[in-house]
Amino acid sequence: MSDVLLTNATLATMAPSGTPYGLVEDGGVAIRGERIAWRGRMTERPAELESLQSRDLGGRLVTPALIDCHTHIVHGGDRAGEFAMRLEGASYEDIARAGGGILSTVAATRAADEDSLLEQALARVDTLLGEGVATIEIKSGYGLDPESELKMLRVARRIGAERPVRVQTSFLGAHAVPPEYEGRADAYIDTVCIPTLEAAHKTGLIDAVDGFCEGIAFTPEQIARLFEAACALGVPVKLHAEQLSNLGGAAMAARFGAVSADHLEYLDEAGVTAMAEAGTVAVMLPGAFYTLRETQAPPIEALRAHAVPMAVATDCNPGSSPLTSLLTAMNMACTLFRMTPEEALAGATRNAARALGLSDTGTIEAGKRADLAIWNVRHPAELSYRIGFNPLHARIFGGAA
Ligand code: DI6
Ligand code: FE
């Protein structure tokens, strides 16, 4: 697209400014190439912008494009049968221990070829893009053998080539112990997971390393071995921690300088402090809380009190969060976790960028990527308030409409 000046807009810049939402009334945004050249009040625009073609936004709201910083959007099959079982009383952990849960998706993902995984994932990706999402984090973790993990990561990269979206991949080989290693989690970590991480890194397939630290998955000691291997490669780490119980995973991840710790329903004060000191982002996943009918909410007040940045994501996965709406996740973060609408929007923009270690997106500021969402609403709180309504007017990705 040619360079453009967006005019007649309200900007929720989400830049830290002391004003709620970093709001700018009667605002404009100048885009040159892929980047934001200027943003501010129209009355204060520099004279040199007069030469740009302008586009009148009719008073609409402009936010940074949304960022879904935690998804398992590449996966084979579905788990609608387990949904029915849970409604009849089986717990998520019961199903997992009986060989269902994550392992049933592992079987479906291993059996699927790359093209079919891509096609299944694109339907979900397109739904997110339709809501103004421009960056999606995608995890592996349903392969759990070298070839199937690499297959998932290749599919994730292909999504970024097939659609106007930025994909950040995370290697989640430590998601569950595969059936062929049942009872031998240590051997799986040392002889499959770490070597696969090294192979995936060598071919440029991973941007971060993730794990599932939980009674039904891996211990903090096992995850720490994986993180040591990640750190040796210079790859950032993040962790599914304290989702179903408190194993001290978030504090362990913080010791490795984790970019994020995610879920956190059972996080304690020591975990909050460790995250605050390390600058680790707390990623809230209310879709999983809702689906599992969890009753313990993450410690939002303590996270807020310690100024731990909070992000919000869909956790889009076939088991615990079959959710492909980041706007709905924002609504749930407010209603279920009592986050404010401003925190929810920061969680899907500025803090989501930080959870991915990205410094060039997530706010509307000069020099950042021109990834923007234009909405048919007047005030940014409306984005979290409605349920099942999509007010997106247009999305701009790297300056292109
Ligand atoms: N926690 C989750 O909520 C997802 N993974 C994880 O570690 C669920 C994955 C699944 O149930 O398929
Ligand atoms: Fe997850």
Side-chain angles (χ1 to χ4, degrees), residues 33 50 58 80 94 102 104 136 144 182 190 197 209-210 213 220 227 249 280 286 290 305 363 373 395:
E50 293 309 318
D94 293 340
I102 292 172
S104 77
I136 305 180
L144 310 185
E182 196 187 335
D190 297 329
L197 157 64
V209 170
D210 195 353
C213 187
F227 281 2
T280 301
Y290 165 85
T363 61
R395 194 189 73 123

Side-chain angles (χ1 to χ4, degrees), residues 14 21 330 334 339-346 380-382 384-385:
M14 304 316 288
Y21 299 94
M330 289 160 60
C334 295
M339 287 173 70
T340 66
E342 186 185 357
E343 286 171 336
L345 184 56
E382 289 178 57
S384 293
Y385 147 75

Side-chain angles (χ1 to χ4, degrees), residues 225-242:
R225 285 215 300 288
L226 173 68
F227 281 2
E228 272 157 27
C231 289
L233 298 171
V235 180
V237 301
K238 54 176 59 201
L239 189 63
H240 287 70
E242 275 72 84

